[in-house]
Amino acid sequence: MADDAADAWRPPAAESDQDIEHSLFGEILDWMLAPLLLLWPMSIAITYLVAKSIANEPFDHALEDSVTVLAQQVKEINGKAVKRLPGSARDILRADDIDNIYFQILGQRGDYLDGDRDLPPPADEEPRRAGTVRFRTDAMHGTQVRVAYTWVAPDQAGGGGDEAPLALVQVAETLEKRARLANEIIKGVILPQFIILPIVLALVWFALARGLSPLAQLQERIRARSSDDLSPIESHQVPEEISPLVRSLNDMLARLSLSIDMQKRFIADAAHQMKTPLAGMRMQSELALRQTDQGEIHRSLLQLAKSSEAATRLVNQLLALARAENQPRGGGGLVTLELAELARSAVRDWVPTSFTQHIDLGYEGPADGAAPVAIAGNPTMLREMLSNLIDNALRYTPAGGSVTVRVRADAAHAIVEVEDTGPGIAPAERQQIFERFYRILGSAAEGSGLGLAIVREIAIQHGADIDVFNNPRAPQQTQRPGSLFRVSLPLLRDDDDDEELYLG
């Protein structure tokens, strides 16, 4: 059981960095302080190196003077280097309360003349040149020492050329005084930094808080608004860097306000349109209840059925329009489909209705062997669009007329046309017919005025254009110019059509 419980429990998944809220104040503070805290140790290291260089310079000069004086005491007698260093001079040379001083004098053949025998000589590969004082760091009795040394030509007492045998003079001292001076220099530089650094941090914190205060003020102004206040935010009261954000927010508020106004208008229009069929249904039901004659009851029930059919159609169209308006613009849920097959299927659904109304419903597709009319679309929405166009044509075409659905393609567009032999549409009203609940005056056809509004919304979702013309093939002698609705959709190229065609 314990194993089952352990298997059933799973630790929570780690939170993605994208889901973690980041503080703008913290981000800026991190990016300002991180380089500062990184550079501070580097500053200490550089200061230490500079302090050591500064501390070495005066002591190196003192060592150089000691070597120079000591080299002047080396002379040549009978072809052999000798030293003339009195005991008092040796005591003065070693006089130091802090560091140990060592010296050494070697003859021309490396023979010992005076000083400390165990002071290490320079490297053999180093070139020898008289009169030049050089420095190196070495070890004496396990302790680091600074050594100043020079080569001496005894016959010239501190001068001479490179060819003559040379004697070696070295003076070394430990590094205690140098370390103390370097530490004093570092203390003098670093200690003020410990005082300045907290002050810098406090100033950075204050500057950031002061600089970001307009964001807090903007937040309070937005929070103080009522839930129905969609008026623009005043952008002149915010810094220049925040103005683009405020303008974008104002644009969003304007779009939201327009959307809410459209929804309110839609709800008001829908409520108004629903009153008529509902009132008719109530009236017919009350009338049927009061009737005793079976014929009158039957007629009332027929009217009740018609009213309920009209109400059902209105509700379905309202739902279709809401669904069309809530589709993502520019292509959410689009698939590659064959428009001709989709149109043929939609026409087939309306054939029984056309028989009932005695209207000739026909379909004209691309020629046999022609390339498929491929588009990217939502098959459900496009089928709804075609159904509304066909329904609109059937409603306005009198008995004995004809309705034709045609699919073709040009160089860049897939075109679907629905033409009828009805009364036609005046040019002045061809834009208004796509408005919600708009009905042409004098029209006897039943309808809610939503069908073409649905067509327009679906066309917009698919980036299509809608044009309305008189039907050029309508019989002229009937005085009915008819209508031609043309929807032009973007045609898929061959290189874009990589998926299997949806055939509806």
Side-chain angles (χ1 to χ4, degrees):
M1 294 295 293
D3 293 340
D4 295 340
D7 293 339
W9 183 85
R10 292 290 185 273
E15 188 174 8
S16 172
D17 290 342
Q18 296 180 352
D19 299 332
I20 300 175
E21 294 185 359
H22 295 281
S23 167
L24 181 61
F25 183 89
E27 289 281 344
I28 298 177
L29 193 64
D30 289 344
W31 281 104
M32 293 183 67
L33 295 185
L36 181 62
L37 297 178
L38 180 63
L39 291 174
W40 189 55
M42 295 175 60
S43 173
I44 294 177
I46 294 173
T47 301
Y48 176 74
L49 295 176
V50 173
K52 286 185 64 177
S53 176
I54 295 174
N56 279 334
E57 188 171 349
F59 296 107
D60 282 351
H61 282 307
L63 276 180
E64 182 178 3
D65 292 341
S66 299
V67 168
T68 302
V69 171
L70 194 59
Q72 292 174 353
Q73 306 303 316
V74 179
K75 303 295 181 181
E76 183 180 7
I77 299 177
N78 297 327
K80 184 178 181 181
V82 296
K83 50 90 179 177
R84 294 181 177 180
L85 185 64
S88 58
R90 184 183 292 105
D91 295 337
I92 294 173
L93 183 63
R94 294 185 182 275
D96 195 312
D97 296 335
I98 300 175
D99 283 311
N100 295 324
I101 307 297
Y102 308 98
F103 75 94
Q104 185 186 69
I105 302 175
L106 299 180
Q108 295 146 306
R109 297 177 180 80
D111 48 320
Y112 171 77
L113 298 181
D114 199 357
D116 301 279
R117 293 179 178 273
D118 48 359
L119 183 62
D124 293 336
E125 62 273 10
E126 185 175 340
R128 300 183 179 186
R129 184 173 182 180
T132 301
V133 179
R134 301 178 183 178
F135 297 90
R136 74 178 189 274
T137 300
D138 217 322
M140 182 74 174
H141 301 154
T143 304
Q144 270 198 331
V145 292
R146 183 69 169 171
V147 182
Y149 60 98
T150 184
W151 299 96
V152 180
D155 57 335
Q156 298 181 12
D162 295 337
E163 300 297 334
L166 302 177
L168 175 64
V169 177
Q170 298 187 102
V171 178
E173 69 174 354
T174 55
L175 307 179
E176 183 65 26
K177 292 194 299 294
R178 300 167 187 261
R180 290 186 181 183
L181 180 57
N183 290 336
E184 291 297 327
I185 295 174
I186 293 174
K187 289 179 182 178
V189 175
I190 299 302
L191 288 180
Q193 291 187 13
F194 281 104
I195 300 174
I196 294 175
L197 187 60
I199 297 176
V200 170
L201 296 179
L203 291 177
V204 168
W205 187 283
F206 175 77
L208 281 178
R210 180 72 176 175
L212 295 178
S213 59
L215 284 178
Q217 296 173 6
L218 178 62
Q219 175 187 358
E220 293 299 326
R221 286 162 50 194
I222 295 176
R223 185 175 296 172
R225 286 179 165 230
S226 60
S227 58
D228 58 348
D229 184 5
L230 298 178
S231 60
I233 301 171
E234 297 182 2
S235 59
H236 66 274
Q237 297 181 357
V238 299
E240 181 180 356
E241 290 77 10
I242 311 177
S243 294
L245 174 62
V246 174
R247 288 195 294 269
S248 300
L249 186 59
N250 286 338
D251 291 341
M252 185 193 70
L253 290 175
R255 294 193 300 269
L256 181 61
S257 178
L258 179 61
S259 176
I260 292 176
D261 290 341
M262 292 177 61
Q263 290 181 2
K264 289 180 178 178
R265 186 167 65 251
F266 176 76
I267 292 173
D269 292 342
H272 177 73
Q273 293 294 326
M274 288 292 294
K275 288 180 181 178
T276 301
L278 292 178
M281 292 171 63
R282 180 176 180 179
M283 183 184 66
Q284 295 296 333
S285 61
E286 291 178 350
L287 182 62
L289 290 174
R290 291 197 299 267
Q291 295 291 341
T292 57
D293 183 63
Q294 293 296 326
E296 293 296 331
I297 294 175
H298 181 70
R299 281 193 293 270
S300 297
L301 291 177
L302 287 178
Q303 292 297 324
L304 182 61
K306 291 182 179 179
S307 297
S308 64
E309 181 182 356
T312 301
R313 173 176 171 77
L314 178 60
V315 170
N316 289 335
Q317 286 192 316
L318 288 173
L319 293 175
L321 181 60
R323 185 168 63 250
E325 289 180 336
N326 286 295
Q327 288 292 321
R329 296 180 184 268
L334 302 187
V335 298
T336 301
L337 56 88
E338 213 284 315
L339 182 60
E341 183 61 31
L342 186 68
R344 186 184 299 109
S345 175
V347 169
R348 191 181 300 117
D349 293 340
W350 285 93
V351 167
T353 304
S354 69
F355 286 161
T356 303
Q357 299 178 5
H358 304 288
I359 297 174
D360 180 16
L361 176 60
Y363 169 77
E364 296 180 6
D368 293 339
V373 184
I375 63 171
N378 185 314
T380 303
M381 290 290 101
L382 288 177
R383 194 180 189 91
E384 182 73 23
M385 181 188 73
L386 291 170
S387 295
N388 279 278
L389 286 173
I390 298 172
D391 180 38
N392 182 77
L394 292 175
R395 285 180 180 275
Y396 286 91
T397 300
S402 64
V403 174
T404 303
V405 178
R406 184 179 299 107
V407 175
R408 59 187 178 87
D410 60 17
H413 297 91
I415 300 172
V416 58
E417 297 175 339
V418 179
E419 62 182 28
D420 60 61
T421 56
I425 301 171
E429 293 184 295
R430 289 175 182 173
Q431 292 300 323
Q432 300 176 19
I433 59 175
F434 294 101
E435 299 295 330
R436 297 169 181 168
F437 305 110
Y438 181 81
R439 299 291 305 280
I440 297 177
L441 293 178
S443 172
E446 297 181 357
S448 61
L450 287 176
L452 294 180
I454 296 172
V455 170
R456 182 186 62 177
E457 287 297 327
I458 296 175
I460 292 175
Q461 300 297 337
H462 289 78
D465 297 324
I466 306 178
D467 299 300
V468 183
F469 309 96
N470 288 337
N471 183 3
R473 283 170 285 275
Q476 299 299 319
Q477 65 274 16
T478 61
Q479 301 302 316
R480 292 198 303 267
S483 299
L484 171 63
F485 286 80
R486 178 180 296 160
V487 182
S488 302
L489 299 107
L491 183 66
L492 280 183
R493 303 290 183 182
D494 292 339
D495 52 354
D496 296 333
D497 187 13
D498 295 332
E499 301 178 3
E500 184 178 356
L501 289 179
Y502 178 87
L503 300 178

